[in-house]
Amino acid sequence: MNPRSTPEQCEAWAPTDYDVAQWNERFRRIQPFVAELDGQPVAYADLQANGYIDHFFVSAAHARRGIGQQLMHHILELAAQREVSRMQAHVSLSAEPFFASNGFRVVVRQTVTVRGVPLDNALMERMQAECFTR
Ligand SMILES: CC(C)(COP(=O)(O)OP(=O)(O)OC[C@H]1O[C@@H](n2cnc3c(N)ncnc32)[C@H](O)[C@@H]1OP(=O)(O)O)[C@@H](O)C(=O)NCCC(=O)NCCS
């Protein structure tokens, strides 16, 4: 989340009272890669067959330690192996610089309403062919 996000926006994006069964089902669907530190999960991210990154998250307590970058390297390598031509993700404002530093560009900015609360994000994409020829 954006550090300037309001408490309402944080609660809408990551509700404290969440549906465990729904999250279990979501994880089964997206099949994420999980980064662990001392046996504890600290980050996770997925890569769908069409190149879409549905979730990319590093625990706030473990931010800016290079964990997100390691996870991104793994996903970028996988995308290259799978010959995915275009990767996309809906990225929060606070995560934009991280995705930009990994070759993603903003396609369109949007405001989505989650649980009645407006949240800003951007659709970002990375064209693999361009990155290979750099
Ligand atoms: C964005 C996010 C994935 C970054 O993960 P991280 O583990 O903290 O990132 P890293 O430590 O690997 O950072 C690597 C580089 O990315 C850039 N970067 C990361 N977070 C940044 C930020 N908030 N602002 C500016 N640059 C950032 C920096 O260049 C950083 O290198 P540095 O620390 O040497 O300056 C993480 O903060 C996060 O999960 N945010 C919330 C969830 C989210 O919005 N997900 C996005 C799409 S679903």
Side-chain angles (χ1 to χ4, degrees), residues 63-116:
R64 298 309 280 264
R65 298 191 199 174
I67 296 170
Q69 195 54 55
Q70 283 188 46
L71 211 45
M72 181 61 89
H73 275 146
H74 178 68
I75 284 180
L76 295 179
E77 269 180 32
L78 199 65
Q81 280 168 24
R82 292 180 183 171
E83 299 185 358
V84 170
S85 58
R86 181 177 69 174
M87 299 175 72
Q88 289 192 320
H90 283 95
V91 177
S92 64
L93 290 180
S94 66
E96 259 191 53
F98 171 79
F99 275 77
S101 71
N102 280 285
F104 286 76
R105 293 187 206 135
V106 173
V107 178
V108 63
R109 294 185 189 283
Q110 60 176 12
T111 302
V112 292
T113 302
V114 180
R115 297 177 189 86

Coordinates of all heavy atoms in Angstrom, one line a residue, residues 63-116:
A63 N 10.4 -5.5 4.5 CA 10.6 -4.7 3.3 C 12.0 -4.1 3.3 O 12.7 -4.0 4.2 CB 9.6 -3.5 3.4
R64 N 12.4 -3.8 2.0 CA 13.7 -3.2 1.7 C 14.9 -4.0 2.2 O 15.9 -3.5 2.6 CB 13.8 -1.8 2.2 CG 12.8 -0.8 1.7 CD 12.7 -0.8 0.2 NE 13.7 0.0 -0.5 CZ 13.6 1.3 -0.9 NH1 12.4 1.9 -0.7 NH2 14.5 1.9 -1.5
R65 N 14.8 -5.4 2.1 CA 15.9 -6.3 2.4 C 16.3 -7.1 1.2 O 17.0 -8.1 1.3 CB 15.5 -7.2 3.5 CG 15.2 -6.5 4.8 CD 15.2 -7.6 5.9 NE 14.5 -7.2 7.1 CZ 14.2 -7.9 8.1 NH1 14.6 -9.2 8.1 NH2 13.5 -7.5 9.1
G66 N 15.7 -6.7 0.0 CA 16.1 -7.5 -1.2 C 15.2 -8.7 -1.4 O 15.4 -9.4 -2.4
I67 N 14.2 -9.0 -0.6 CA 13.4 -10.2 -0.7 C 12.5 -10.1 -2.0 O 12.4 -11.0 -2.8 CB 12.5 -10.4 0.5 CG1 13.5 -10.7 1.7 CG2 11.6 -11.6 0.3 CD1 12.8 -10.7 3.1
G68 N 11.9 -8.9 -2.2 CA 11.0 -8.7 -3.3 C 11.9 -8.8 -4.6 O 11.4 -9.4 -5.6
Q69 N 13.1 -8.3 -4.6 CA 13.9 -8.4 -5.8 C 14.3 -9.9 -6.1 O 14.2 -10.3 -7.3 CB 15.2 -7.6 -5.6 CG 15.9 -7.3 -6.9 CD 15.0 -6.7 -8.0 OE1 14.4 -5.7 -7.8 NE2 14.9 -7.4 -9.1
Q70 N 14.5 -10.7 -5.1 CA 14.8 -12.1 -5.3 C 13.6 -12.8 -5.9 O 13.8 -13.6 -6.9 CB 15.2 -12.8 -4.0 CG 16.6 -12.5 -3.6 CD 17.0 -13.4 -2.4 OE1 16.8 -14.5 -2.4 NE2 17.6 -12.7 -1.4
L71 N 12.5 -12.5 -5.4 CA 11.2 -13.1 -5.9 C 11.0 -12.6 -7.3 O 10.6 -13.4 -8.2 CB 10.1 -12.6 -5.0 CG 8.9 -13.5 -4.8 CD1 9.2 -14.9 -4.5 CD2 8.0 -12.9 -3.6
M72 N 11.2 -11.4 -7.6 CA 11.0 -10.8 -9.0 C 12.0 -11.5 -10.0 O 11.6 -11.9 -11.1 CB 11.2 -9.3 -9.0 CG 11.0 -8.7 -10.4 SD 9.3 -9.0 -11.0 CE 8.5 -7.5 -10.4
H73 N 13.3 -11.7 -9.5 CA 14.2 -12.4 -10.4 C 13.7 -13.8 -10.7 O 13.8 -14.3 -11.9 CB 15.6 -12.6 -9.7 CG 16.5 -11.4 -9.9 ND1 17.3 -10.9 -8.9 CD2 16.6 -10.5 -10.9 CE1 17.9 -9.8 -9.3 NE2 17.5 -9.5 -10.5
H74 N 13.2 -14.5 -9.8 CA 12.7 -15.8 -10.0 C 11.5 -15.8 -11.0 O 11.5 -16.6 -12.0 CB 12.2 -16.4 -8.7 CG 11.6 -17.8 -8.8 ND1 12.3 -18.9 -9.1 CD2 10.3 -18.2 -8.7 CE1 11.6 -20.0 -9.2 NE2 10.3 -19.6 -9.0
I75 N 10.6 -14.9 -10.9 CA 9.5 -14.8 -11.8 C 9.9 -14.4 -13.2 O 9.4 -14.9 -14.2 CB 8.4 -13.8 -11.2 CG1 7.7 -14.5 -10.1 CG2 7.5 -13.3 -12.2 CD1 6.7 -13.7 -9.4
L76 N 10.9 -13.5 -13.3 CA 11.4 -13.0 -14.6 C 12.1 -14.2 -15.3 O 11.9 -14.4 -16.5 CB 12.3 -11.8 -14.5 CG 11.7 -10.5 -14.0 CD1 12.8 -9.4 -13.9 CD2 10.5 -10.1 -14.8
E77 N 12.8 -15.0 -14.5 CA 13.5 -16.2 -15.1 C 12.5 -17.2 -15.6 O 12.6 -17.7 -16.7 CB 14.4 -16.8 -14.1 CG 15.8 -16.3 -14.1 CD 16.7 -17.0 -13.0 OE1 16.4 -18.2 -12.7 OE2 17.5 -16.3 -12.5
L78 N 11.5 -17.4 -14.8 CA 10.4 -18.3 -15.2 C 9.7 -17.8 -16.5 O 9.4 -18.6 -17.4 CB 9.4 -18.4 -14.0 CG 8.5 -19.6 -14.0 CD1 9.4 -20.8 -13.8 CD2 7.5 -19.4 -12.8
A79 N 9.4 -16.5 -16.5 CA 8.7 -16.0 -17.7 C 9.6 -16.2 -19.0 O 9.1 -16.5 -20.0 CB 8.5 -14.5 -17.5
A80 N 10.9 -16.0 -18.8 CA 11.8 -16.2 -19.9 C 11.8 -17.7 -20.4 O 11.7 -18.0 -21.6 CB 13.2 -15.8 -19.6
Q81 N 11.9 -18.6 -19.4 CA 11.8 -20.0 -19.7 C 10.5 -20.4 -20.4 O 10.5 -21.2 -21.3 CB 11.9 -20.8 -18.4 CG 13.3 -21.0 -17.8 CD 13.2 -21.6 -16.4 OE1 12.2 -22.2 -16.0 NE2 14.2 -21.3 -15.6
R82 N 9.4 -19.8 -19.9 CA 8.1 -20.1 -20.5 C 7.9 -19.4 -21.8 O 6.8 -19.5 -22.4 CB 7.0 -19.8 -19.5 CG 7.0 -20.7 -18.3 CD 5.9 -20.3 -17.4 NE 5.8 -21.0 -16.2 CZ 5.0 -20.7 -15.1 NH1 4.2 -19.7 -15.2 NH2 5.0 -21.4 -14.0
E83 N 8.8 -18.5 -22.2 CA 8.7 -17.7 -23.4 C 7.4 -16.8 -23.3 O 6.7 -16.7 -24.3 CB 8.8 -18.5 -24.6 CG 10.1 -19.2 -24.7 CD 10.3 -20.0 -26.0 OE1 9.4 -20.0 -26.8 OE2 11.4 -20.6 -26.2
V84 N 7.1 -16.3 -22.2 CA 6.0 -15.3 -22.0 C 6.4 -14.0 -22.6 O 7.4 -13.5 -22.3 CB 5.7 -15.1 -20.5 CG1 4.7 -14.0 -20.3 CG2 5.2 -16.4 -19.8
S85 N 5.6 -13.5 -23.6 CA 6.1 -12.3 -24.3 C 5.7 -11.0 -23.6 O 6.4 -10.0 -23.7 CB 5.4 -12.3 -25.7 OG 4.0 -12.3 -25.6
R86 N 4.7 -11.1 -22.8 CA 4.2 -9.8 -22.1 C 3.8 -10.2 -20.6 O 3.0 -11.1 -20.4 CB 3.1 -9.2 -22.8 CG 2.6 -7.9 -22.2 CD 1.5 -7.3 -22.9 NE 0.3 -8.0 -22.9 CZ -0.9 -7.6 -23.4 NH1 -0.9 -6.4 -24.0 NH2 -1.9 -8.3 -23.3
M87 N 4.4 -9.4 -19.7 CA 4.0 -9.6 -18.3 C 3.2 -8.4 -17.9 O 3.5 -7.3 -18.3 CB 5.3 -9.8 -17.4 CG 6.1 -10.9 -17.8 SD 7.6 -11.0 -16.8 CE 7.0 -11.4 -15.2
Q88 N 2.2 -8.6 -17.1 CA 1.4 -7.5 -16.6 C 1.1 -7.7 -15.1 O 1.1 -8.8 -14.6 CB 0.1 -7.5 -17.3 CG 0.2 -7.0 -18.8 CD -1.2 -6.7 -19.4 OE1 -2.1 -7.4 -19.2 NE2 -1.2 -5.7 -20.2
A89 N 0.8 -6.5 -14.4 CA 0.4 -6.6 -13.1 C -0.4 -5.3 -12.7 O -0.1 -4.2 -13.3 CB 1.6 -6.7 -12.1
H90 N -1.4 -5.4 -11.9 CA -2.0 -4.2 -11.3 C -1.2 -3.8 -10.1 O -1.1 -4.6 -9.1 CB -3.5 -4.4 -11.0 CG -4.3 -4.4 -12.3 ND1 -4.6 -5.6 -12.9 CD2 -4.8 -3.4 -13.0 CE1 -5.4 -5.3 -14.0 NE2 -5.5 -3.9 -14.0
V91 N -0.6 -2.7 -10.1 CA 0.4 -2.3 -9.1 C 0.0 -1.1 -8.3 O -0.5 -0.1 -8.8 CB 1.8 -2.0 -9.8 CG1 2.8 -1.6 -8.8 CG2 2.2 -3.3 -10.6
S92 N 0.1 -1.2 -7.0 CA -0.2 -0.1 -6.1 C 0.8 1.1 -6.3 O 1.9 0.8 -6.8 CB -0.3 -0.5 -4.6 OG 1.1 -0.9 -4.3
L93 N 0.4 2.3 -5.9 CA 1.3 3.4 -6.1 C 2.6 3.2 -5.4 O 3.7 3.5 -6.0 CB 0.7 4.7 -5.5 CG -0.5 5.3 -6.2 CD1 -1.1 6.5 -5.5 CD2 -0.2 5.6 -7.7
S94 N 2.6 2.6 -4.2 CA 3.9 2.4 -3.5 C 4.8 1.4 -4.1 O 6.0 1.4 -3.9 CB 3.6 2.0 -2.0 OG 3.0 0.7 -2.0
A95 N 4.2 0.4 -4.9 CA 5.0 -0.6 -5.5 C 5.5 -0.2 -6.9 O 6.3 -0.9 -7.5 CB 4.2 -1.9 -5.6
E96 N 5.0 0.9 -7.5 CA 5.4 1.3 -8.8 C 6.9 1.5 -9.1 O 7.4 1.0 -10.1 CB 4.7 2.7 -9.2 CG 3.5 2.5 -10.0 CD 3.0 3.8 -10.5 OE1 3.7 4.6 -11.1 OE2 1.8 4.1 -10.3
P97 N 7.6 2.1 -8.1 CA 9.1 2.3 -8.4 C 9.8 0.9 -8.5 O 10.7 0.7 -9.3 CB 9.6 3.1 -7.2 CG 8.4 3.8 -6.6 CD 7.2 2.9 -6.9
F98 N 9.3 0.0 -7.6 CA 9.9 -1.4 -7.6 C 9.7 -2.0 -9.0 O 10.6 -2.6 -9.6 CB 9.3 -2.2 -6.5 CG 9.7 -3.6 -6.5 CD1 10.9 -4.1 -6.1 CD2 8.8 -4.6 -7.0 CE1 11.3 -5.4 -6.1 CE2 9.1 -5.9 -7.0 CZ 10.4 -6.3 -6.6
F99 N 8.4 -2.0 -9.5 CA 8.1 -2.6 -10.8 C 8.8 -1.9 -11.9 O 9.3 -2.5 -12.8 CB 6.6 -2.7 -11.0 CG 6.0 -3.9 -10.3 CD1 5.8 -3.9 -9.0 CD2 5.6 -5.0 -11.1 CE1 5.2 -5.1 -8.4 CE2 5.1 -6.1 -10.5 CZ 4.8 -6.2 -9.1
A100 N 8.9 -0.5 -11.8 CA 9.6 0.3 -12.8 C 11.0 -0.1 -12.9 O 11.6 -0.2 -14.0 CB 9.4 1.8 -12.6
S101 N 11.6 -0.3 -11.8 CA 13.1 -0.7 -11.8 C 13.3 -2.1 -12.3 O 14.4 -2.5 -12.6 CB 13.7 -0.5 -10.4 OG 13.2 -1.5 -9.5
N102 N 12.2 -2.8 -12.5 CA 12.3 -4.2 -13.1 C 11.8 -4.2 -14.5 O 11.4 -5.2 -15.0 CB 11.6 -5.2 -12.2 CG 12.5 -5.6 -11.0 OD1 13.4 -6.3 -11.2 ND2 12.2 -5.1 -9.9
G103 N 11.7 -3.0 -15.2 CA 11.4 -3.0 -16.6 C 9.9 -2.9 -16.9 O 9.5 -3.0 -18.1
F104 N 9.1 -2.7 -15.9 CA 7.6 -2.5 -16.2 C 7.3 -1.0 -16.4 O 7.9 -0.2 -15.8 CB 6.8 -3.0 -14.9 CG 6.8 -4.5 -14.8 CD1 7.9 -5.2 -14.3 CD2 5.6 -5.2 -15.1 CE1 7.8 -6.6 -14.1 CE2 5.6 -6.6 -15.0 CZ 6.7 -7.3 -14.5
R105 N 6.4 -0.8 -17.3 CA 5.9 0.6 -17.6 C 4.4 0.7 -17.3 O 3.7 -0.3 -17.5 CB 6.1 0.9 -19.1 CG 7.4 1.0 -19.6 CD 7.4 1.4 -21.0 NE 8.6 0.9 -21.6 CZ 8.7 0.3 -22.8 NH1 7.6 0.2 -23.5 NH2 9.9 -0.1 -23.2
V106 N 4.0 1.9 -16.9 CA 2.6 2.1 -16.7 C 1.8 2.1 -18.0 O 2.2 2.9 -18.9 CB 2.4 3.5 -15.9 CG1 0.9 3.8 -15.8 CG2 3.0 3.4 -14.5
V107 N 0.8 1.3 -18.1 CA -0.1 1.3 -19.3 C -1.3 2.3 -19.0 O -1.6 3.1 -19.9 CB -0.6 -0.1 -19.6 CG1 -1.6 -0.1 -20.7 CG2 0.5 -1.1 -19.7
V108 N -1.9 2.1 -17.9 CA -3.0 3.0 -17.5 C -3.1 3.1 -16.0 O -2.9 2.1 -15.3 CB -4.3 2.5 -18.2 CG1 -4.7 1.1 -17.7 CG2 -5.5 3.4 -18.1
R109 N -3.5 4.2 -15.6 CA -3.8 4.4 -14.1 C -5.3 4.3 -13.9 O -6.1 4.7 -14.8 CB -3.3 5.7 -13.6 CG -1.8 5.9 -13.7 CD -1.3 7.2 -13.1 NE 0.1 7.4 -13.4 CZ 1.0 6.7 -12.7 NH1 0.7 5.9 -11.7 NH2 2.3 6.9 -13.1
Q110 N -5.7 3.8 -12.8 CA -7.1 3.6 -12.5 C -7.4 3.7 -11.0 O -6.5 3.6 -10.2 CB -7.6 2.3 -13.1 CG -6.9 1.1 -12.4 CD -7.4 -0.3 -12.8 OE1 -8.2 -0.3 -13.8 NE2 -7.1 -1.3 -12.1
T111 N -8.6 4.0 -10.7 CA -9.1 3.9 -9.3 C -10.1 2.8 -9.3 O -11.1 2.8 -10.0 CB -9.7 5.3 -8.9 OG1 -8.8 6.3 -9.1 CG2 -10.1 5.3 -7.5
V112 N -9.8 1.8 -8.4 CA -10.8 0.7 -8.2 C -11.5 0.9 -6.9 O -10.9 1.5 -5.9 CB -10.1 -0.6 -8.3 CG1 -9.6 -0.9 -9.7 CG2 -9.0 -0.8 -7.3
T113 N -12.7 0.4 -6.8 CA -13.4 0.5 -5.5 C -13.4 -0.9 -4.9 O -13.9 -1.8 -5.4 CB -14.8 1.0 -5.7 OG1 -14.7 2.3 -6.4 CG2 -15.6 1.2 -4.4
V114 N -12.8 -1.0 -3.7 CA -12.7 -2.2 -3.0 C -13.4 -2.0 -1.6 O -13.1 -1.2 -0.9 CB -11.2 -2.6 -2.7 CG1 -11.2 -4.0 -2.0 CG2 -10.5 -2.7 -4.0
R115 N -14.4 -2.9 -1.4 CA -15.3 -2.8 -0.2 C -15.7 -1.3 0.0 O -15.6 -0.8 1.1 CB -14.5 -3.3 1.0 CG -14.2 -4.8 0.9 CD -13.4 -5.4 2.0 NE -13.0 -6.7 1.7 CZ -11.9 -7.0 1.0 NH1 -11.1 -6.1 0.6 NH2 -11.6 -8.2 0.7
G116 N -16.1 -0.7 -1.1 CA -16.7 0.7 -1.0 C -15.6 1.8 -0.8 O -16.0 3.0 -0.7

